[in-house]
Amino acid sequence: MSDSDYDAVVIGSGAGGGASAFGLARAGLHVLLLEAGPSYDPHTDYNLHGADWEQRGFPHKVEPKERQTIAPLQMLSQRFDDLRSWNHLTGRRDIGNRREAVGYHHVVGLGGSTLQFTGEAHRLNPNSMKMYSQFGVAADWPFDYDELEPFYVDAERIIGVAGPSDNTRWRSRPCPLPPHLPSYASQRLGEACKGLGYSWAPNYLAALSQPYDGRPSCNYCGNCARGCPRLDKGSVDVTFIDQAIRSGNCDIKTNAQVTRLEAGADDRIQRVHFVSADGAAHVVKGRAIVIACGAIETPRLLLASMGTHAPQGIGNESGHVGKHFMETLYWTSSGLHPDPLASYRGLPSDSICWDFNAPDAIPDVIGGCRFAPSVAESDLLGPISYARRVVGGWGKQHKAAMRENFGNVLSLGAIGENLPNKNSFVDLDPDVVDPNGIPLAKIHSHLPDHELERVKFMAHTAREILGAAGVGKIFEEYGAYDAFNSTHVFGTCRMGIDPSTSVVNAFGRSHRWRNLFITDASVFPSSGGGEGPALTIEALALRSSAYIATLATRREL
Amino acid sequence: MRLGLCAPLTAHVHPLVAATVVGDKNQPISITLRAYLDTLLPADDISPSASTIGVHKHLLKKAQDDALYRRLLLLGTRWLEQQAQARDPVSFAALGEERREQIIMLAEDAPATALERVFFEHTRVDAFESYYSDPAIWATLGYPNAPQPLGFVGYGSAPRSTQS
Ligand SMILES: Cc1cc2nc3c(=O)[nH]c(=O)nc-3n(C[C@H](O)[C@H](O)[C@H](O)COP(=O)(O)OP(=O)(O)OC[C@H]3O[C@@H](n4cnc5c(N)ncnc54)[C@H](O)[C@@H]3O)c2cc1C
Ligand code: SF4
């Protein structure tokens, strides 16, 4: 550490940054983790104990919505009217004829978006990593699944993932913890799937089915998206970051917004500039610089760091920074079951149907999807949401209907592959800057017809399964067709072998900048068939960290 | 799916002020509001009315902190009194349940930008939020407790009867 303050400076502390900080600190490197947001105390910040719990969402301390802009979205066409969002009380989503920009959902805080995530801990379908060579779409991952598998095992062990241990999802070792028992409501969906000839299995979850590593097991409150006050949900703060701190090798600075990377003439990043909460500007040096700001903010930081040595932005020699943006392609249908289910109980997405997850599993459409219960994701967990969205009305009839129907909602959600296209990308907004004068990221999103055909399949199958489960009438549906509303974002700093078509190599290292690495979802060459990305991001980050540690040992950074 | 409060209020209240102040019959706002909320959420054999568990206090508290909302309650309750007293000098609170319901239906069916409709939409949602945040009401729905600290063990089995 002759010329640097740290062996590695990690920027961003979500799935990618948290796992990177841990992987590097575990290897004995002296790490600084810089996070733009504050830390959260699960015991005091997440209020699921009070009578007003339902009125509180995730307690964002930094409003995430104002941190990006979204370019005007596509016009809607009558052809896909069946995919418009609607509710039986309020009617069709009242947005006119243009797709609505609802937003990029994420958390600015220590632990990033995993603080709010549902906790699905998925391995990617190996076939989804070869989309170009198999189907001529997206790009191939520059290595095979087998190379990532040991890092999946490592990440699952650190988190305490619970799930089935059979080999249906390409595993070399059993899951660390046994699967959770599906909720009573999810069992109804399972029976429906069985009747239709579909499979239905316990989901892989970053939620403890037994006490693990000093954390208690889940008590099935269903509210992971409001933040888990028990600490059993495997968000990055209570797993990777906690262990990084325990290693004694990781310093953390919260409320530290990185504003610029300073490039040198020697193809190295010389310094990292950041601003602390009091507005003071700081500079720090690292032998390795690891960026993990998420697939929207990472390209923004690289593009905004343009300068003499990097006139197009750092890492953008190929012109691919910000390109190939992939979003969350989703669909959810909700209906009332005739029997009491108390469907507010249990873990969100506790079961899953993988039958259509392979890239060629949907007839006539390339790219897969998967189905899971989504009462929690739809926020249909408490009486207020029933009063407003399910039952409606007022007076004695309303009250009787509330008693009749409360707890009976059954929802099924689908998430599918999103293939990159030239109209979906992230660039810098020429008109809007943040308080530090840095242009905001501008999201451009477009869903071509083949994406909508996939959503169509997702919608039809969700309705089919709900119908088979005994749901007579669906009362609400929403999906990606008429709303950009993303929780999973990827692709904007694609990894690949060819420096002219990608930003980083197979280890997340910039093709040009020798000490620059990217370890978040921006490196995905394809999105997968609806799998939650967090576990794959973490496995990739552990893999990159091991590589960086080897380079550090060999003095090749 | 949540209704945004500020935009509709700013957009719709001011133009209607002059037209609605005229009908004031000096009925204290809290009495009219209670009667209105108890028509939206009346007592029945199983659960109490809105005012029994203090829903009106919740709305009045909100009005204390928010001038625009205060104005909305004032104008909305005046509108209710105007309707009530259009035929005979009987206050809204003194009307029979059926007549109160008829008046509220007028508000519910009014154009989206009409004062009475804006008043109805906002206060109904606020009444729901207050009423259904009360553990006593949860019990009547079979909802046992806030999500934490107990969680929902036994979640894999059929729920117990909801109407005990
Ligand atoms: C409601 C919700 C539910 C989800 N459910 C699941 C699920 O069940 N399973 C799953 O796999 N995935 C889920 N996800 C997605 C998952 O959380 C993300 O894919 C994952 O966290 C992305 O990791 P990341 O490291 O790329 O970015 P993030 O986790 O978003 O972390 C980026 C971090 O970088 C920080 N940062 C940004 N810019 C700067 C800067 N300039 N300087 C310093 N710090 C900066 C941010 O504040 C943030 O903390 C969910 C997401 C949401 C919002
Ligand atoms: S369901 Fe389990 S993991 Fe999720 S918030 Fe509740 S206790 Fe935590």
Side-chain angles (χ1 to χ4, degrees):
Chain A
M1 232 183 36
S2 54
D3 60 347
S4 291
D5 302 323
Y6 286 91
D7 292 328
V9 175
V10 178
I11 307 167
S13 69
S20 296
F22 164 74
L24 295 165
R26 174 174 64 174
L29 271 66
H30 189 201
V31 179
L32 174 65
L33 179 57
L34 294 173
E35 167 52 50
S39 57
Y40 282 74
D41 180 345
H43 299 293
T44 52
D45 284 326
Y46 305 141
N47 187 343
L48 295 176
H49 299 65
D52 62 348
W53 71 270
E54 199 187 350
Q55 294 174 56
R56 300 175 182 231
F58 181 86
H60 288 285
K61 296 180 184 179
V62 174
E63 179 46 64
K65 268 201 158 174
E66 287 151 20
R67 294 173 72 89
Q68 295 84 26
T69 60
I70 302 178
L73 300 169
Q74 71 207 67
M75 301 304 289
L76 302 170
S77 91
Q78 277 194 339
R79 234 184 99 203
F80 292 104
D81 259 4
D82 190 35
L83 302 180
R84 296 285 293 257
S85 306
W86 64 280
N87 170 283
H88 70 141
L89 299 171
T90 51
R92 185 188 265 193
R93 187 200 287 265
D94 184 17
I95 51 167
N97 281 330
R98 192 183 283 280
R99 190 170 177 234
E100 189 187 17
V102 177
Y104 156 45
H105 299 278
H106 62 292
V107 178
V108 182
L110 192 68
S113 305
T114 69
L115 299 179
Q116 197 189 3
F117 85 154
T118 303
E120 290 188 292
H122 293 157
R123 291 167 172 230
L124 214 61
N125 188 317
N127 293 312
S128 301
M129 297 169 72
K130 301 290 170 200
M131 295 300 285
Y132 188 74
S133 48
Q134 288 186 89
F135 306 103
V137 295
D140 284 357
W141 290 53
F143 50 81
D144 291 333
Y145 176 88
D146 289 349
E147 282 195 44
L148 197 55
E149 208 276 340
F151 298 97
Y152 274 131
V153 172
D154 197 14
E156 288 173 342
R157 186 187 51 76
I158 291 154
I159 295 164
V161 170
S165 286
D166 56 31
N167 199 25
T168 45
R169 297 294 292 177
W170 310 280
R171 11 185 357 102
S172 64
R173 299 251 187 104
C175 246
L177 295 178
H180 294 270
L181 171 73
S183 73
Y184 183 71
S186 297
Q187 292 169 34
R188 308 285 75 76
L189 290 168
E191 287 160 4
C193 281
K194 200 171 164 200
L196 292 166
Y198 300 151
S199 72
W200 189 252
N203 206 344
Y204 294 91
L205 295 172
L208 302 180
S209 56
Q210 292 171 359
Y212 189 81
D213 196 25
R215 294 183 285 135
S217 55
C218 171
N219 67 7
Y220 306 99
C221 81
N223 274 280
C224 306
R226 286 180 162 84
C228 176
R230 274 175 77 80
L231 284 75
D232 67 289
K233 186 177 86 167
S235 49
V236 160
D237 54 336
V238 299
T239 54
F240 293 97
I241 295 176
D242 181 58
Q243 293 199 30
I245 294 169
R246 282 197 255 155
S247 75
N249 292 332
C250 182
D251 293 343
I252 294 176
K253 279 196 201 316
T254 51
N255 299 304
Q257 170 83 31
V258 173
T259 49
R260 190 163 69 88
L261 306 177
E262 192 183 318
D266 57 351
D267 287 350
R268 294 173 55 83
I269 305 303
Q270 299 292 346
R271 293 182 189 81
V272 173
H273 294 253
F274 67 96
V275 175
S276 51
D278 57 3
H282 306 264
V283 173
V284 67
K285 291 203 250 177
R287 283 166 69 195
I289 307 298
V290 179
I291 311 183
C293 301
I296 309 293
E297 291 296 306
T298 288
R300 173 196 181 208
L301 180 59
L302 293 174
L303 294 172
S305 297
M306 68 177 76
T308 319
H309 302 297
Q312 290 177 278
I314 287 178
N316 197 23
E317 294 70 32
S318 63
H320 282 252
V321 170
K323 301 289 192 292
H324 317 298
F325 172 57
M326 295 171 279
E327 60 180 90
T328 319
L329 202 78
Y330 66 96
W331 179 264
T332 300
S333 298
S334 299
L336 277 171
H337 196 271
D339 302 328
L341 303 175
S343 60
Y344 50 82
R345 306 174 301 167
L347 269 157
S349 301
D350 62 5
S351 312
I352 192 156
C353 171
W354 289 114
D355 293 2
F356 302 97
N357 173 239
D360 53 358
I362 302 177
D364 305 322
V365 177
I366 294 168
C369 70
R370 57 45 179 272
F371 297 87
S374 68
V375 171
E377 286 78 354
S378 308
D379 201 11
L380 287 163
L381 292 170
I384 297 171
S385 62
Y386 272 73
R388 295 183 59 172
R389 288 159 57 194
V390 184
V391 169
W394 49 277
K396 287 201 169 112
Q397 272 183 339
H398 160 84
K399 289 184 58 173
M402 281 292 287
R403 289 192 288 267
E404 176 83 16
N405 294 305
F406 181 69
N408 298 10
V409 167
L410 211 46
S411 298
L412 193 68
I415 303 182
E417 174 114 28
N418 181 221
L419 297 170
N421 71 81
K422 69 176 181 2
N423 295 318
S424 285
F425 59 94
V426 172
D427 62 6
L428 297 179
D429 192 316
D431 302 319
V432 193
V433 294
D434 72 8
N436 300 310
I438 312 295
L440 295 193
K442 187 170 193 170
I443 299 171
H444 304 255
S445 155
H446 180 76
L447 294 180
D449 284 3
H450 60 259
E451 298 295 306
L452 301 176
E453 293 296 341
R454 196 177 306 108
V455 180
K456 212 177 198 177
F457 174 84
M458 286 152 51
H460 288 177
T461 310
R463 292 168 189 154
E464 179 192 28
I465 295 173
L466 282 181
V471 166
K473 194 174 142 264
I474 286 170
F475 66 80
E476 183 178 282
E477 293 184 309
Y478 56 92
Y481 170 54
D482 60 8
F484 172 81
N485 194 11
S486 279
T487 51
H488 305 173
V489 291
F490 333 73
T492 48
C493 297
R494 174 187 272 184
M495 63 176 152
I497 293 164
D498 183 351
S500 70
T501 57
S502 57
V503 177
V504 293
N505 72 11
F507 291 99
R509 189 185 205 177
S510 161
H511 289 300
R512 172 179 170 193
W513 304 92
R514 290 182 297 135
N515 65 337
L516 178 67
F517 298 83
I518 300 175
T519 61
D520 59 25
S522 30
V523 303
F524 281 40
S526 58
S527 73
E531 296 91 340
L535 188 74
T536 302
I537 299 169
E538 288 155 356
L540 285 171
L542 293 176
R543 183 170 177 270
S544 294
S545 302
Y547 177 71
I548 295 168
T550 309
L551 294 181
T553 314
R554 291 196 210 137
R555 305 199 157 271
E556 288 176 13
L557 268 177
Chain B
M1 291 289 169
R2 288 174 172 253
L3 283 171
L5 184 60
C6 297
L9 280 188
T10 342
H12 306 312
V13 171
H14 297 302
L16 292 161
V17 170
T20 44
V21 183
V22 187
D24 184 7
K25 302 279 182 181
N26 290 330
Q27 194 55 231
I29 177 174
S30 64
I31 293 182
T32 311
L33 188 67
R34 279 176 76 142
Y36 164 71
L37 294 171
D38 285 349
T39 317
L40 290 184
L41 293 163
D44 60 16
D45 298 346
I46 294 168
S47 52
S49 70
S51 70
T52 312
I53 60 163
V55 171
H56 60 297
K57 289 185 197 153
H58 173 82
L59 269 66
L60 290 169
K61 166 82 179 62
K62 186 171 167 180
Q64 248 173 25
D65 304 337
D66 178 344
L68 213 49
Y69 194 73
R70 195 157 59 239
R71 193 104 192 104
L72 183 72
L73 290 196
L74 187 72
L75 298 178
T77 49
R78 275 182 191 169
W79 181 87
L80 291 171
E81 288 303 336
Q82 270 184 322
Q83 300 304 311
Q85 301 179 38
R87 290 189 213 151
D88 306 304
V90 180
S91 72
F92 182 79
L95 292 176
E97 186 179 17
E98 201 178 323
R99 179 68 190 132
R100 273 185 279 128
E101 284 176 353
Q102 282 169 357
I103 292 174
I104 294 177
M105 276 184 236
L106 287 178
E108 186 177 21
D109 295 340
T113 54
L115 164 83
E116 59 272 28
R117 173 76 183 274
V118 177
F119 168 75
F120 167 80
E121 296 290 353
H122 287 292
T123 50
R124 189 182 68 128
V125 166
D126 292 340
F128 283 166
E129 291 199 351
S130 172
Y131 191 74
Y132 292 114
S133 292
D134 192 312
I137 303 303
W138 294 351
T140 68
L141 301 173
Y143 185 62
N145 49 262
Q148 293 293 347
L150 298 176
F152 301 114
V153 286
Y155 69 98
S157 310
R160 280 177 287 146
S161 163
T162 55
Q163 308 227 348
S164 52

